[in-house]
Amino acid sequence: MFKYIKVLYLNKCKIKEICKTTWIGLKFLHTLILERNNIFYLQDRLFSPLTGLQYLDLSKNSLTYINSRSFEDLNKLKTLILRSCKIATIKPFTFRSLRNLSFLDIRDNSISRIKVKTFDRLKILETLLLSENKIHSVQGNSLQELVLLKKLTLANNNIYKVSNTTFHSLKTLKILNISRNALSFNKLDSVSPFQKLKYLESLDISYQRQRYKDPVSEALFQGLQSLKQLYIQGIPSSFFKDVSFSFLTNLTEIDMTGTFQGADLYSMVELIRKCNQIKYLRLDNNEITNIPVDTFVGFNLLENLSLKYNKLKNISQHLVKPLSNLRNFDLFMNPLLCSCENYWFQNWSKFDPQVQIPFLESYICFGQVTHEISFVNQDLNFCGTDISVYFFIASFVLTLLLLVASLVTVKLKWSLLYFYHMMQVWLQWRIKKEKKLYTYDAYISYCSEDEDWVIKELMLNLESKGQRKYKLCFKSRDFIPGSYHIDNIQEAIKNSRKTLCVVSRNYLESQWCKVEVEIACSRVFYEKEDVLLVVFLEEIPNFR
């Protein structure tokens, strides 16, 4: 009755069986939906009357077996959907009649192996979806006929091995998803499994169930010079320790969600820095508590940075400063504190028109006991620059200095006075004041018990045997007879350039020696000259 019909929906009709006579006269039909029925078998040449059919959806039926002859005469069919049909196996040449097929969806079935010639004659197929099956191996050249394939998904299977020849014929492939398998990329079996995929733009190898104990080849990504998107979610960062990212010259986006859980900061930063030419970086759900401030140095092209579902409490301004092209910064569900460390981030997130912070209004101040407080609306102005703070600091420092100066003056008055005079002596000596003529080079201050050493050692070496002959004032020889002893001492010290004290235990007990030292020291205060030289004849305890 509806011979001009173009689109026919027969989904959810509880259909169990269909005969090819059903379609007689529907020459204009190009879309047929048979989704969610109970069809368990397809007759030979079932759709042959539908010569103009381009789209066929048989998903969610009970087609455990696919009759290869059922698709005969469908020369114009471009899209075939066999999703969730409980298909256990696909024999070789099953789709040989569908030479114009460009889209094939066989997801969510029970296929365990991709055999040779399975996709024979599908030379213009562009999209092949094989995810959510039970595939554990892809036989040698089973994909060699797909010379124009652009998208291939093998996600959520049990594939444990891909060799260097598995994808070698897919030279036009742009999207490859092999996530959620059991691949270890052992360098003995998979040195460079993507080497021939020169036009691949998106690669997803996330969440492999292998334990990553086997060594990985450095050239894992060799040949991927056109790759723009790389997804390595849930793979430990140690897996990429030796892997070179230098082959990925055009990489713009990388997803490292769940990559650094339990990893040390050094390995995390080392892996991130391998990708400093990207525009989009995702580091979600990595339990990151701290990021070194120099992590993103050199990331001049980065536009989107996502750090959702981590454990960051504070965001350093120096961390974001190198990101001159940043446009989107996502920190959703991090326990940010409403503290002065984040005051700059609060202002920046609200008033910087260049950077977008998604879900900013939903950020709350973590750690608040009473109730949830909005991070954006929390008043942190007290953290900003306030001139009264500077006045307070200045007055506090000035008061503290005055107190310290007063205490030091009281406690160290004479030491400071001595230091003052010593400095005056040094400064005046530096100014080269006029030289004074002295009778002696040095006056020898000693006790009578040490006189033998002074005569035999000191005077002998300084006056006779030395390279330079000094003139010394020796009291037993040079004092004026008949004059008071104290007068002789004063005149001798006054007319000597230096006073040489020969110190011993007996010297410390002599009253005359004490007088000589005091007279010599007085020249510091009255004549602004430091003349004292001390020689220890024996070890003297510090307390003496």
Side-chain angles (χ1 to χ4, degrees), residues 216-375:
V216 183
S217 170
E218 179 185 0
L220 178 65
F221 297 131
Q222 185 177 1
L224 299 178
Q225 64 268 23
S226 297
L227 195 70
K228 296 179 179 179
Q229 300 172 330
L230 177 62
Y231 302 93
I232 55 174
Q233 306 171 34
I235 300 180
S237 56
S238 57
F239 177 85
F240 301 98
K241 182 179 179 181
D242 299 322
V243 176
S244 174
F245 282 69
S246 60
F247 304 105
L248 309 177
T249 54
N250 287 303
L251 190 66
T252 59
E253 178 180 342
I254 186 167
D255 191 338
M256 297 183 181
T257 298
T259 300
F260 302 110
Q261 292 185 0
D264 58 277
L265 276 176
Y266 175 78
S267 61
M268 180 183 77
V269 174
E270 186 179 25
L271 178 55
I272 291 174
R273 285 180 177 171
K274 287 183 177 182
C275 315
N276 61 355
Q277 299 300 316
I278 60 176
K279 293 183 178 180
Y280 183 93
L281 176 60
R282 191 171 180 181
L283 299 169
D284 302 344
N285 196 23
N286 277 302
E287 300 183 359
I288 300 174
T289 57
N290 180 38
I291 301 180
V293 294
D294 60 345
T295 300
F296 300 115
V297 172
F299 282 71
N300 301 322
L301 302 177
L302 192 65
E303 296 179 1
N304 296 277
L305 175 59
S306 179
L307 287 163
K308 296 186 295 184
Y309 298 99
N310 282 293
K311 297 181 180 180
L312 294 170
K313 295 182 178 179
N314 297 308
I315 304 298
S316 172
Q317 187 173 5
H318 299 289
L319 178 70
V320 185
K321 191 174 181 180
L323 304 177
S324 55
N325 282 320
L326 190 64
R327 297 294 179 269
N328 189 291
F329 188 28
D330 198 344
L331 285 166
F332 183 67
M333 290 305 295
N334 275 277
L336 295 178
L337 300 177
C338 288
S339 59
C340 289
E341 288 83 353
N342 289 325
Y343 174 60
W344 80 271
F345 178 67
Q346 187 194 61
N347 281 338
W348 181 68
S349 60
K350 289 194 296 184
F351 302 115
D352 191 335
Q354 179 178 324
V355 181
Q356 185 77 17
I357 311 293
F359 307 108
L360 181 62
E361 295 295 331
S362 67
Y363 287 20
I364 63 172
C365 298
F366 282 83
Q368 304 296 331
V369 179
T370 55
H371 58 279
E372 292 185 355
I373 302 175
S374 172
F375 178 82

Side-chain angles (χ1 to χ4, degrees), residues 17-20 41-46 67 69-70:
E17 187 176 356
I18 302 177
C19 299
K20 65 180 179 180
Y41 180 73
L42 301 177
Q43 296 179 4
D44 292 352
R45 304 183 66 190
L46 176 61
N67 181 7
R69 297 198 61 189
S70 61

Side-chain angles (χ1 to χ4, degrees), residues 14-32:
K14 300 182 180 179
I15 300 172
K16 293 184 178 180
E17 187 176 356
I18 302 177
C19 299
K20 65 180 179 180
T21 56
T22 305
W23 321 115
I24 293 176
L26 300 181
K27 295 181 180 180
F28 297 96
L29 189 70
H30 63 70
T31 299
L32 176 60

Side-chain angles (χ1 to χ4, degrees), residues 165-183:
T165 60
T166 302
F167 307 115
H168 77 285
S169 60
L170 308 179
K171 297 181 180 180
T172 61
L173 196 65
K174 290 187 176 182
I175 300 173
L176 175 60
N177 186 347
I178 51 175
S179 62
R180 299 182 185 277
N181 280 282
L183 297 167

Side-chain angles (χ1 to χ4, degrees), residues 183-202:
L183 297 167
S184 64
F185 297 103
N186 188 312
K187 69 178 182 179
L188 299 177
D189 302 321
S190 309
V191 177
S192 302
F194 315 112
Q195 187 172 7
K196 299 295 182 179
L197 306 181
K198 295 183 179 180
Y199 298 100
L200 194 69
E201 296 181 357
S202 178

